[in-house]
Amino acid sequence: MAPISILLFSSILLFSASSTGRALSFNYYEKTCPDVELIVTNAVKNAMVRDKTVPAALLRMHFHDCFIRGCDASVLLTSKGNNKAEKDGPPNVSLHAFYVIDNAKKEVEALCPGVVSCADILALAARDAIVLSGGPTWDVPKGRKDGRTSKASETIQLPAPTFNISQLQQSFSQRGLSMDDLVALSGGHTLGFSHCSSFQNRIRNFNATHDIDPTMNPSFAASLRSICPKSNAKNAGSPMDPSSTTFDNTYFKSILQGKTLFSSDQALLTSTGTKDLVSKFASSQDAFSKAFVKSMIKMSSITGGQEVRKDCRVVN
């Protein structure tokens, strides 16, 4: 599917949902580093040629960054001394493709030293990952700063794949995100791969009554059980949906068929409002794309950093 161009709020400064109240703007680097977007796009393109999992990795990385201390690139920092950084927290150990951000940052620094934040590079890379996977494009508001704090212990705040609808609502509302945002952003699960550990709870020993989650399609559950041994082999797992390298609305169709991996995916059918949106997005790629863009801009505008790092892996 060809990318859909969706430009929202293009004539205004986007308000930031952070406590600092820092406004972001679409033309932030117009004079100081006009080629930054081209550099980031090329870095993502080059990585995708070698590794088709890069888009899903970058999108997940951005989401996991924004949900801890705002979109401040704290997820990129390396553990040092007694401090275990976010990337080494349990939900983040499977994050990868950090080198894509490093490569883009190196080129940007050579052209515009000390100007572009790692947080902005990550936000741009996540957008490019969607576009290059056949999804919509949008103007990314820029002007984020990089954070100086990264703690693995804080990654427990990330919404888990086992969450029910109440837990999901609480997690998103704490970050100023609505139930509409929850459904739209969950659509990012149309890309990528999941290890068995994230959905093992649904295919074995589900509860006292059922071995398998009864909301899961029986044949789909059987196929997952064959993929995932009881011993939970380290690298075993499943694509997130049948078209897991293409950004489309297949994920929502899969929810309605009982063929999604996570409890948190199926949970979207347990509330009337979210269920209606799942049905809407399942029937309209365009409706999903527009909602996703709106929610991505909203989420990526939660800021919280203090500096522009010279190296994305260490504070200045």
Side-chain angles (χ1 to χ4, degrees), residues 237-259:
S238 170
M240 293 298 290
D241 79 19
S243 57
S244 62
T245 58
T246 302
F247 190 88
D248 57 23
N249 65 338
T250 302
Y251 164 79
F252 295 103
K253 296 175 183 177
S254 297
I255 293 178
L256 296 176
Q257 296 165 358
K259 294 182 178 181

Side-chain angles (χ1 to χ4, degrees), residues 252-292:
F252 295 103
K253 296 175 183 177
S254 297
I255 293 178
L256 296 176
Q257 296 165 358
K259 294 182 178 181
T260 47
L261 298 180
F262 302 157
S263 297
S264 59
D265 297 326
Q266 200 65 31
L268 299 181
L269 295 184
T270 61
S271 161
T272 302
T274 55
K275 183 178 181 179
D276 288 347
L277 273 181
V278 168
S279 297
K280 178 181 178 180
F281 295 158
S283 62
S284 173
Q285 171 78 41
D286 186 58
F288 165 49
S289 292
K290 287 177 179 175
F292 183 81

Side-chain angles (χ1 to χ4, degrees), residues 27 51-52 123 154-155 218 224 242 246 266 281 284 286 291 303 306 311 315:
N27 58 357
D51 184 358
K52 64 182 181 181
E154 294 182 351
T155 60
L224 294 179
T246 302
Q266 200 65 31
F281 295 158
S284 173
D286 186 58
T303 61
Q306 302 83 35
D311 180 335
V315 298

Side-chain angles (χ1 to χ4, degrees), residues 192-246:
F193 174 94
S194 172
H195 292 103
C196 296
S197 57
S198 294
F199 56 86
Q200 190 76 262
N201 66 302
R202 300 187 72 201
I203 60 173
R204 286 190 177 88
N205 304 314
F206 179 68
N207 60 24
T209 310
H210 300 95
D211 189 33
I212 296 172
D213 183 346
T215 64
M216 186 178 272
N217 177 285
S219 61
F220 180 65
S223 70
L224 294 179
R225 282 169 68 102
S226 68
I227 292 167
C228 300
K230 289 183 180 180
S231 58
N232 199 15
K234 187 176 181 181
N235 295 317
S238 170
M240 293 298 290
D241 79 19
S243 57
S244 62
T245 58
T246 302

